[in-house]
Amino acid sequence: MDTTAMFSLTYGLFVAGVAEGGKKNACIINTAVQATAEPVRMHVTMLKENLTTQLIRKKGSLTVSVLSLDCPLELIGSFGMRSGREVNKFDGIDYQTDGNGNPYLDKNTVAYMSLNVASVIDLESHYLFICDVVEAEKTQKGQPMSYGDYRTLKSGGTVGKEGAKAGKKHWVCSVCHYVYDGKIPFEELPDDWTCPVCQKPKSVFILED
Ligand SMILES: Cc1cc2nc3c(=O)[nH]c(=O)nc-3n(C[C@H](O)[C@H](O)[C@H](O)COP(=O)(O)O)c2cc1C
């Protein structure tokens, strides 16, 4: 099986946000999908070990902020490559709060949705949260960023009106989609090197065009 074929599926890029027990946290996800239109339902797939996931399980609700094409890569790194266990990711970040008290971003986004978790499916490494959408608003004008746009930008390519122009090949974690950008060539990393985001072994990385 060529697992890089999975990268031809299209996704958006989002921030999942939650506030629970005095802690406000959020992380990048690419797995927010509309499931049904009437009633409006969505589902998100979240790594069990993420702090955001654990807070969502307790709270039973979350926000999904839809990132815009002009969203800086630093913002994605800040929410997607660090855990809220070590830092307050909302330091210096403008945010709004939905009716459940959960944070969402209104800058660098085109829309947000407020979700109540209706059921949870255990997928071993992840939880699949099936949710009712209870709020949805547009935030800023612009185009949403796709996961493909993100990968192109991350590898030094460009996106925009003329379409995406590919950059160089890069190694991507097949579990959390972290794109390796260290100074040491990926092939030269030691065998016990692990993904800095999800701590999975080097062997789960895939070379992507
Ligand atoms: C491009 C990208 C896509 C990601 N997609 C998901 C996802 O769909 N689900 C998920 O649980 N984590 C995903 N992650 C990983 C989390 O954002 C990351 O593990 C984060 O550091 C968790 O932070 P937390 O511990 O504060 O919740 C993604 C990360 C990146 C960079």
Side-chain angles (χ1 to χ4, degrees):
M1 182 164 80
D2 177 4
T3 44
T4 64
M6 303 307 289
F7 290 128
S8 55
L9 296 172
T10 52
Y11 307 92
L13 207 59
F14 316 94
V15 173
V18 62
E20 164 62 19
K23 175 79 181 168
K24 203 165 38 265
N25 202 52
C27 75
I28 298 290
I29 59 169
N30 66 300
T31 50
V33 174
Q34 181 170 0
T36 60
E38 195 65 54
V40 189
R41 285 200 199 98
M42 292 176 65
H43 50 75
V44 297
T45 314
M46 309 255 335
L47 281 163
K48 282 182 182 174
E49 60 256 42
N50 286 352
L51 176 63
T52 313
T53 310
Q54 291 163 11
L55 296 176
I56 293 169
R57 280 233 71 178
K58 279 196 197 145
K59 175 90 177 249
S61 62
L62 67 148
T63 58
V64 170
S65 303
V66 182
L67 294 177
S68 56
L69 196 50
D70 57 5
C71 172
L73 289 181
E74 296 73 50
L75 188 96
I76 299 172
S78 160
F79 279 100
M81 289 171 199
R82 309 182 302 170
S83 177
R85 290 186 189 89
E86 283 102 48
V87 285
N88 178 359
K89 296 191 198 177
F90 281 93
D91 261 356
I93 299 281
D94 282 337
Y95 66 91
Q96 303 287 328
T97 303
D98 77 350
N100 288 323
N102 293 324
Y104 66 89
L105 305 185
D106 61 347
K107 289 199 180 128
N108 303 121
T109 59
V110 295
Y112 87 92
M113 291 102 204
S114 176
L115 276 53
N116 287 350
V117 177
S119 53
V120 183
I121 296 178
D122 190 329
L123 298 177
E124 290 158 36
S125 56
H126 290 68
Y127 288 120
L128 175 65
F129 292 119
I130 300 172
C131 305
D132 296 314
V133 179
V134 293
E135 288 174 35
E137 299 294 341
K138 288 183 180 148
T139 48
Q140 312 281 330
K141 287 205 183 337
Q143 293 294 313
M145 184 183 287
S146 73
Y147 180 46
D149 294 330
Y150 165 73
R151 291 201 314 267
T152 302
L153 290 168
K154 192 87 172 74
S155 61
T158 54
V159 293
K161 284 197 180 119
E162 299 97 50
K165 292 199 178 66
K168 57 183 187 332
K169 286 186 173 188
H170 48 268
W171 288 91
V172 185
C173 176
S174 61
V175 175
C176 72
H177 305 133
Y178 163 71
V179 180
Y180 178 71
D181 60 357
K183 289 203 176 77
I184 301 170
F186 184 82
E187 292 81 354
E188 291 171 24
L189 292 170
D191 288 344
D192 60 356
W193 181 86
T194 55
C195 173
V197 174
C198 69
Q199 276 74 51
K200 293 291 181 294
K202 190 181 171 187
S203 56
V204 306
F205 276 68
I206 294 168
L207 183 61
E208 193 198 8
D209 289 317

